[in-house]
Amino acid sequence: PEKIDNYILNEIKQKMNLQYIIIEPGRYLVGNSGYMETTIIKKKADNVFIIQNGIYSGLLDALLYNKRFELFVKINKEVVKLESKPFQNSKEIIICGASSDSGDRIGKFYIEEKCCNELEIGTNIIVNNALAYVEEFFMPLGGDLKIKYNIIE
């Protein structure tokens, strides 16, 4: 409750003789509160896809905490989950970020083979629980990269 929070903060300020308290909510409060929508910007080989946003532009948890993000693709107005394990009639794909860093690899995923043929430049990728780091550290293609974040209420 707001009254309790203000009371506690005011008590801390008095006891520590502080004028201000600045609180940074941290990734644990906001990291799982929404999703990021990005786009395939390049296809390399048959099964490697480069997305606008990678480790250095919104998905830093993959590097810092070895987090495996849950990804979905939008194909013909349908949302299809990219699976972490192979299944019958699935095809392996690799999703990477757009930086020049060879470590900018989001992961290996599996998708139904017929859906894989629909993946192309411009296909939307949805990254679930990706709001921990919304500040870009590296933007390899300049100002044309944009992140679309959505808050889950």
Side-chain angles (χ1 to χ4, degrees):
E2 189 175 321
K3 288 181 182 180
I4 293 173
D5 293 341
N6 283 335
Y7 172 78
I8 292 170
L9 290 176
N10 286 330
E11 189 175 313
I12 291 170
K13 280 170 47 178
Q14 284 179 341
K15 286 183 178 181
M16 297 184 75
N17 196 26
L18 299 171
Q19 186 175 2
Y20 301 103
I21 295 179
I22 299 172
I23 298 175
E24 194 276 317
R27 61 178 298 285
Y28 294 102
L29 294 178
V30 298
N32 295 337
S33 63
Y35 60 91
M36 175 175 61
E37 192 169 321
T38 187
T39 306
I40 294 174
I41 60 171
K42 188 174 184 178
K43 183 176 180 178
K44 293 177 82 175
D46 184 42
N47 68 333
V48 179
F49 298 90
I50 309 299
I51 59 174
Q52 279 182 326
N53 306 95
I55 289 174
Y56 302 109
S57 56
L59 303 176
L60 194 58
D61 274 355
L63 181 64
L64 295 179
Y65 306 108
N66 201 27
K67 180 176 180 174
R68 296 268 310 154
F69 286 98
E70 187 176 50
L71 271 63
F72 300 84
V73 294
K74 283 186 180 179
I75 300 174
N76 300 324
K77 297 183 182 180
E78 184 181 341
V79 177
V80 177
K81 183 178 181 187
L82 297 179
E83 300 292 339
S84 60
K85 295 183 178 168
F87 57 92
Q88 188 173 357
N89 297 325
S90 67
K91 184 171 181 179
E92 178 185 287
I93 63 171
I94 297 169
I95 305 289
C96 299
S99 77
S100 60
D101 188 334
S102 63
D104 196 356
R105 182 174 162 170
I106 310 309
K108 185 188 302 183
F109 298 91
Y110 298 87
I111 187 170
E112 200 171 334
E113 194 164 353
K114 68 177 183 179
C115 292
C116 187
N117 298 331
E118 301 291 324
L119 295 178
E120 56 190 30
I121 294 173
T123 299
N124 288 3
I125 304 282
I126 299 167
V127 185
N128 201 23
N129 299 328
L131 294 185
Y133 299 98
V134 295
E135 193 69 32
E136 285 80 30
F137 294 101
F138 180 77
M139 299 300 279
L141 302 177
D144 59 345
L145 294 181
K146 294 182 178 34
I147 298 177
K148 178 180 176 183
Y149 290 98
N150 297 285
I151 306 298
I152 300 170
E153 294 181 22

